[in-house]
mmCIF file with all atom_site columns, all heavy atoms in Angstrom:
data_model
loop_
_atom_site.group_PDB
_atom_site.id
_atom_site.type_symbol
_atom_site.label_atom_id
_atom_site.label_alt_id
_atom_site.label_comp_id
_atom_site.label_asym_id
_atom_site.label_entity_id
_atom_site.label_seq_id
_atom_site.pdbx_PDB_ins_code
_atom_site.Cartn_x
_atom_site.Cartn_y
_atom_site.Cartn_z
_atom_site.occupancy
_atom_site.B_iso_or_equiv
_atom_site.pdbx_formal_charge
_atom_site.auth_seq_id
_atom_site.auth_comp_id
_atom_site.auth_asym_id
_atom_site.auth_atom_id
_atom_site.pdbx_PDB_model_num
ATOM 1  N N   . LEU J 1 135 ? 4.685  23.508 18.313 1.00 98.00 ? 404 LEU J N   1
ATOM 2  C CA  . LEU J 1 135 ? 6.040  22.960 18.384 1.00 98.00 ? 404 LEU J CA  1
ATOM 3  C C   . LEU J 1 135 ? 7.110  23.995 18.727 1.00 98.00 ? 404 LEU J C   1
ATOM 4  O O   . LEU J 1 135 ? 8.029  23.692 19.503 1.00 98.00 ? 404 LEU J O   1
ATOM 5  C CB  . LEU J 1 135 ? 6.388  22.246 17.074 1.00 98.00 ? 404 LEU J CB  1
ATOM 6  C CG  . LEU J 1 135 ? 5.523  21.032 16.729 1.00 98.00 ? 404 LEU J CG  1
ATOM 7  C CD1 . LEU J 1 135 ? 5.909  20.477 15.362 1.00 98.00 ? 404 LEU J CD1 1
ATOM 8  C CD2 . LEU J 1 135 ? 5.645  19.956 17.795 1.00 98.00 ? 404 LEU J CD2 1
ATOM 9  N N   . VAL J 1 235 ? 11.621 0.093  36.164 1.00 95.00 ? 504 VAL J N   1
ATOM 10 C CA  . VAL J 1 235 ? 10.891 0.871  37.170 1.00 95.00 ? 504 VAL J CA  1
ATOM 11 C C   . VAL J 1 235 ? 10.188 -0.099 38.103 1.00 95.00 ? 504 VAL J C   1
ATOM 12 O O   . VAL J 1 235 ? 9.397  -0.940 37.662 1.00 95.00 ? 504 VAL J O   1
ATOM 13 C CB  . VAL J 1 235 ? 9.866  1.814  36.511 1.00 95.00 ? 504 VAL J CB  1
ATOM 14 C CG1 . VAL J 1 235 ? 9.024  2.513  37.580 1.00 95.00 ? 504 VAL J CG1 1
ATOM 15 C CG2 . VAL J 1 235 ? 10.569 2.836  35.636 1.00 95.00 ? 504 VAL J CG2 1
ATOM 16 N N   . GLU J 1 258 ? 9.695  15.670 49.500 1.00 97.00 ? 527 GLU J N   1
ATOM 17 C CA  . GLU J 1 258 ? 8.926  15.933 50.707 1.00 97.00 ? 527 GLU J CA  1
ATOM 18 C C   . GLU J 1 258 ? 9.372  15.004 51.841 1.00 97.00 ? 527 GLU J C   1
ATOM 19 O O   . GLU J 1 258 ? 9.486  15.421 53.001 1.00 97.00 ? 527 GLU J O   1
ATOM 20 C CB  . GLU J 1 258 ? 7.439  15.755 50.420 1.00 97.00 ? 527 GLU J CB  1
ATOM 21 C CG  . GLU J 1 258 ? 6.864  16.812 49.479 1.00 97.00 ? 527 GLU J CG  1
ATOM 22 C CD  . GLU J 1 258 ? 5.406  16.574 49.161 1.00 97.00 ? 527 GLU J CD  1
ATOM 23 O OE1 . GLU J 1 258 ? 4.769  15.749 49.862 1.00 97.00 ? 527 GLU J OE1 1
ATOM 24 O OE2 . GLU J 1 258 ? 4.897  17.187 48.199 1.00 97.00 ? 527 GLU J OE2 1
#
Side-chain angles (χ1 to χ4, degrees):
L404 297 176
V504 174
E527 292 177 14

